[in-house]
Amino acid sequence: MPGFRADTERMAAELGIDPAEVRAQLVGRRPDGRPLMRPDDTTAAELNHFGYDTDVPDVPDGPRGASADPDGLRCPLAAHIRKVNPRDQETDKGPPAATLTFAILRRGIPYDRGLLFLCFQTDITQQFELLAQRWASNPERPRQGLDNGVDLIIGRVRPGGERRARLLAGGVSTMADYVRPRGGAYLFTPSLSALRTLAGAAASSPAAGSDTCSRPGSAPDSPGAPARPPRTPRPPSPR
Ligand code: HEM
């Protein structure tokens, strides 16, 4: 990421800590994936076994438990992984139970000299766009009312503006954008043509319109009702 290494060395000198520590706090994880939320001896099976608001228990013969960090004393509230995945924390969008409805299924693919960021979701506005704009780029979100700065990995501010974040030892700031988007696309999976083909096949199948055939998805008391895809739970509307 352009400017990231030099900037984090400057920030480290200002805070009197190691540059690797600044980078880990900006991301929320160390380069090998260990989260700051867990102790140093964390194993591969434990990399995602933690909560921000609530302690997670030991799993018998599985991952060891971890204590919570609601106020960002171990992992800063502005860390990338906290901004884009607040897990079990209340956010400006609602109570903890709603938070995971904004999560995405993510794949990063090395591409040329950069990264192809790819993610899957059911609602691009309430997931990708919400994470990138409403949470990563707002200093007071996802936890409302606390100015902890923006996500310095992907958060954007007005052009030419300074980007700030609060780390464990104090505040840092930069004029640089480490991530420079080169393009993007919103795509359907399956593709629209595949969905049309499936819809056409369903419409022309012998069962279509029959009132004697029970198909998956049709209610038992409404024989012949068109099969509907399972309903996706919708996140609460913005406050
Ligand atoms: C293209 C620039 C980006 C870079 C360099 C980047 C970097 C990272 C890194 C280093 C991690 C931690 C390692 C891992 O879990 O794999 C991570 C996790 C994550 N990133 Fe990004 N990211 C980028 C863009 C984005 C965008 C645009 C979003 C969503 C809008 C996003 C959402 C996430 C999520 C949800 C996680 C997992 C959080 C968790 O562990 O709980 N990232 N990213």
Side-chain angles (χ1 to χ4, degrees):
M1 293 191 286
F4 185 66
R5 192 154 287 272
D7 250 3
T8 47
E9 280 167 9
R10 169 183 55 80
M11 292 166 183
E14 288 166 7
L15 295 175
I17 60 175
D18 195 278
E21 197 52 38
V22 173
R23 295 194 269 272
Q25 289 183 27
L26 290 178
V27 173
R29 289 186 188 268
R30 303 200 179 277
D32 61 5
R34 279 176 302 136
L36 297 185
M37 286 295 298
R38 292 200 53 102
D40 284 346
D41 64 352
T42 286
T43 65
E46 296 168 336
L47 293 179
N48 277 301
H49 193 55
F50 63 87
Y52 294 119
D53 238 18
T54 319
D55 296 349
V56 295
D58 289 342
V59 175
D61 301 321
R64 292 163 295 174
S67 56
D69 179 29
D71 299 318
L73 303 180
R74 288 207 311 284
C75 179
L77 294 170
H80 179 61
I81 69 164
R82 276 193 96 139
K83 283 281 196 181
V84 293
N85 187 16
R87 291 173 183 246
D88 59 343
Q89 288 214 284
E90 178 178 329
T91 74
D92 61 302
K93 295 281 287 176
T99 303
L100 280 183
T101 64
F102 308 110
I104 54 176
L105 180 61
R106 180 183 53 98
R107 286 288 168 269
I109 303 171
Y111 182 77
D112 195 10
R113 279 171 294 164
L115 175 79
L116 172 64
F117 176 86
L118 174 69
C119 68
F120 297 86
Q121 57 246 284
T122 56
D123 184 332
I124 205 142
T125 308
Q126 289 298 320
Q127 291 170 270
F128 173 77
E129 290 182 353
L130 176 128
L131 303 186
Q133 293 168 8
R134 188 178 175 115
W135 286 354
S137 302
N138 187 316
E140 296 187 4
R141 289 174 179 162
R143 278 190 65 182
Q144 215 160 10
L146 296 171
D147 181 352
N148 289 289
V150 300
D151 171 349
L152 286 196
I153 307 299
I154 62 163
R156 318 283 294 182
V157 296
R158 65 189 155 71
E162 182 185 57
R163 301 187 311 131
R164 296 175 293 102
R166 184 181 304 281
L167 301 187
L168 302 184
V172 293
S173 66
T174 181
M175 298 298 291
D177 284 328
Y178 307 133
V179 173
R180 298 185 190 152
R182 296 294 170 90
Y186 288 178
L187 306 166
F188 283 87
T189 306
S191 64
L192 282 179
S193 55
L195 290 171
R196 282 193 198 102
T197 305
L198 289 171
S204 61
S205 97
S210 154
D211 61 359
T212 54
C213 178
S214 159
R215 282 173 287 143
S218 55
D221 60 349
S222 57
R228 292 217 311 247
R231 293 198 59 192
T232 307
R234 306 279 297 189
S237 53
R239 289 179 180 171

